[in-house]
Amino acid sequence: MRAGICDMVAVARIINATLVVPELDKNSFWQDTSIFSDVFDEDYFISSLASDVKIVRKLPKDMSGVTKAVKHFRSWSGMDYYKEEISSLWEDYKVIRAAKSDSRLANNNLPPDIQKLRCRACYEALRFSPQIEAMGKLLVDRMRAYGPYIALHLRYEKDMLAFSGCTHGLSVAEADELKKIRDDTSYWKIKDIDSEEQRSKGYCPLTPTEVAMFLTALGYPSNTPIYIAAGEIYGGDAHMGELLTRYPLLMSKEKLASVEELEPFLKHASQMAALDYIVSVASAVFIPTYSGNMARAVEGHRRYLGHQKTVTPDRYTMWAVFLNFQPATNSIYELKLFLNMVGLDRQGSPRKRKGPISGTKGMDRFRSEESFYVNPLPDCLCQRQSSLSTGTSSAIR
């Protein structure tokens, strides 16, 4: 959502268009009826970007009957595509509707002013609605009362497991239920999935039990406060036992706040996710168990705020470790040795955004680049000039 909106702000600037406040997807798995102003501060969004792009709340009435161009903007496109192909649509249409908004802009090789506009849109203009901000701050304060905490993005939810086909550790009945959900969801194109093959390629989220062993191997003591940034965990306590035994200070929105406090958000998945986003960005350490959209957005935001620590497990190499590790016969010391051998994918330290994988061509080349919203640097940093020190930088404002 955030990345798509920010890309559309930049596209509007490139083609010199007025941007209508984006509509949010109401046809997703979660069937969320939220509108833009339910999730984001609409007034602030419009006013803070006024010097960059003209934004209106609704399509003007005198344009409601004009013929519109409905266009699927090409993924990972650069300036030439928008200045030539998309701008040419103005000759025949007064309104262009972007059918999809995510990943519409290239990650690299865009003018600095466009990249910085994406930064301003994402990290400054696109703040959450006042009610979400207030509830998020309350959750953060209550978590911090336990001490520095880990935000664990535990993607072990029904929709994630059904979509990915990852059924490791589940019962036959649970696996069948997930397959039925996948079969019944028409816009999920891949239906027949080999779970173990998915897991061997690193495509599956870590299970709660694997997370418990992973955190122990990293040296986190049992009294570490952990915030579960996720929806309802599939199977509930039946799959959370090992993690809860090792780390009893497992907290969530539902544990930190009363039903009355959460009531305005409960039936809106995007608003509940926004609360998790706020608590995750503010955490001492962020650990995603799957590199989905939210995990990438949180990592990028934490980089922007000063390279705050994000620990991303390398699921591809860890699969073999967990395949051979048996808690009943292997000590945690041996697991530490295993994990030290496979290492971690990254921990949020400053580095240049990764370019395309060598040898890739065409669309695969752009697809292989690291996302701008995972690592918005160095585009979102300005160099400070100082006679006393060099090499320092700060996020743009």
Side-chain angles (χ1 to χ4, degrees):
M1 218 182 258
R2 295 179 68 90
I5 291 168
C6 296
D7 272 6
M8 290 302 103
V9 168
V11 168
R13 169 75 171 269
I14 292 170
I15 64 176
N16 194 27
T18 295
L19 178 68
V20 179
V21 168
E23 297 177 12
L24 305 185
D25 179 16
K26 296 180 176 61
N27 298 314
S28 67
F29 179 89
W30 302 277
Q31 299 291 299
D32 191 344
T33 59
S34 299
I35 61 174
F36 188 95
S37 59
D38 292 328
V39 182
F40 302 107
D41 188 331
E42 187 174 283
D43 291 338
Y44 186 78
F45 177 69
I46 293 172
S47 62
S48 63
L49 292 171
S51 61
D52 297 296
V53 175
K54 182 180 179 182
I55 304 174
V56 296
R57 287 176 173 79
K58 296 180 179 179
L59 193 67
K61 289 184 178 180
D62 61 345
M63 302 188 75
S64 60
V66 302
T67 304
K68 304 176 183 65
V70 180
K71 181 74 173 177
H72 280 77
F73 294 165
R74 193 176 66 202
S75 301
W76 298 289
S77 296
M79 297 289 287
D80 290 345
Y81 170 76
Y82 286 103
K83 285 186 172 180
E84 296 171 8
E85 184 170 333
I86 300 303
S87 289
S88 67
L89 295 175
W90 293 132
E91 297 174 7
D92 301 307
Y93 304 95
K94 292 185 178 180
V95 177
I96 302 173
R97 180 180 178 88
K100 288 197 70 175
S101 62
D102 60 311
S103 303
R104 300 305 106 178
L105 272 176
N107 293 301
N108 301 309
N109 301 318
L110 294 176
D113 65 310
I114 296 299
Q115 296 288 60
K116 289 176 180 176
L117 174 57
R118 292 167 96 182
C119 295
R120 285 195 298 278
C122 193
Y123 306 119
E124 303 294 338
L126 201 59
R127 68 185 185 188
F128 292 114
S129 63
Q131 62 270 25
I132 289 177
E133 287 283 351
M135 190 67 229
K137 183 179 183 303
L138 185 65
L139 294 174
V140 170
D141 289 344
R142 289 176 180 175
M143 275 306 303
R144 285 178 173 168
Y146 293 98
Y149 66 92
I150 293 173
L152 178 65
H153 191 218
L154 189 60
R155 285 298 269 131
Y156 208 73
E157 301 140 316
K158 182 181 289 187
D159 66 291
M160 177 69 232
L161 297 177
F163 174 78
S164 64
C166 296
T167 59
H168 176 74
L170 301 181
S171 68
V172 173
E174 288 172 328
D176 289 343
E177 180 187 20
L178 296 177
K179 187 177 189 308
K180 186 177 187 308
I181 292 172
R182 188 165 63 253
D183 290 341
D184 292 344
T185 306
S186 59
Y187 49 86
W188 290 354
K189 302 303 181 185
I190 302 176
K191 304 298 183 181
D192 295 321
I193 300 176
D194 185 321
S195 177
E196 285 307 308
E197 182 180 354
Q198 287 284 94
R199 192 164 174 257
S200 69
K201 292 179 178 178
Y203 295 162
C204 290
L206 298 184
T207 69
T209 297
E210 290 170 341
V211 170
M213 293 190 291
F214 177 65
L215 292 175
T216 304
L218 290 178
Y220 288 107
S222 61
N223 64 347
T224 301
I226 298 176
Y227 177 84
I228 303 295
E232 183 179 352
I233 301 303
Y234 189 56
D237 292 344
H239 297 303
M240 291 290 286
E242 182 71 19
L243 182 57
L244 187 58
T245 297
R246 292 186 188 231
Y247 294 95
L249 277 179
L250 278 184
M251 309 304 291
S252 63
K253 299 180 291 295
E254 293 78 9
K255 289 184 179 180
L256 292 170
S258 67
V259 174
E260 291 75 20
E261 288 172 321
L262 285 178
E263 196 278 331
F265 315 103
L266 283 175
K267 295 181 180 179
H268 302 283
S270 58
Q271 296 180 48
M272 293 287 275
L275 296 175
D276 283 340
Y277 185 97
I278 291 172
V279 182
S280 296
V281 168
S283 64
V285 182
F286 176 60
I287 302 179
T289 63
Y290 185 81
S291 57
N293 290 326
M294 178 168 162
R296 293 193 290 266
V298 170
E299 180 181 348
H301 204 145
R302 290 170 64 82
R303 286 183 180 279
Y304 175 80
L305 293 175
H307 307 293
Q308 297 170 354
K309 189 170 184 177
T310 297
V311 179
T312 305
D314 185 340
R315 299 187 310 279
Y316 174 75
T317 48
M318 284 177 64
W319 166 75
V321 172
F322 288 123
L323 186 67
N324 295 308
F325 181 81
Q326 299 298 325
T329 57
N330 294 100
S331 68
I332 197 64
Y333 174 73
E334 289 174 305
L335 179 58
K336 287 182 181 181
L337 292 180
F338 284 140
L339 291 178
N340 283 335
M341 285 191 291
V342 302
L344 299 171
D345 191 18
R346 51 185 179 269
Q347 297 194 49
S349 57
R351 59 172 176 76
K352 187 177 180 180
R353 187 168 58 252
K354 295 176 183 177
I357 295 175
S358 178
T360 54
K361 296 180 180 180
M363 191 61 67
D364 287 340
R365 180 175 176 81
F366 296 112
R367 190 188 297 271
S368 71
E369 293 179 335
E370 184 176 25
S371 167
F372 178 86
Y373 296 105
V374 169
N375 187 4
L377 310 177
D379 315 81
C380 287
L381 289 183
C382 296
Q383 295 298 316
R384 289 175 179 165
Q385 299 297 324
S386 171
S387 58
L388 298 178
S389 62
T390 59
T392 57
S393 58
S394 65
I396 66 165
R397 290 290 186 264

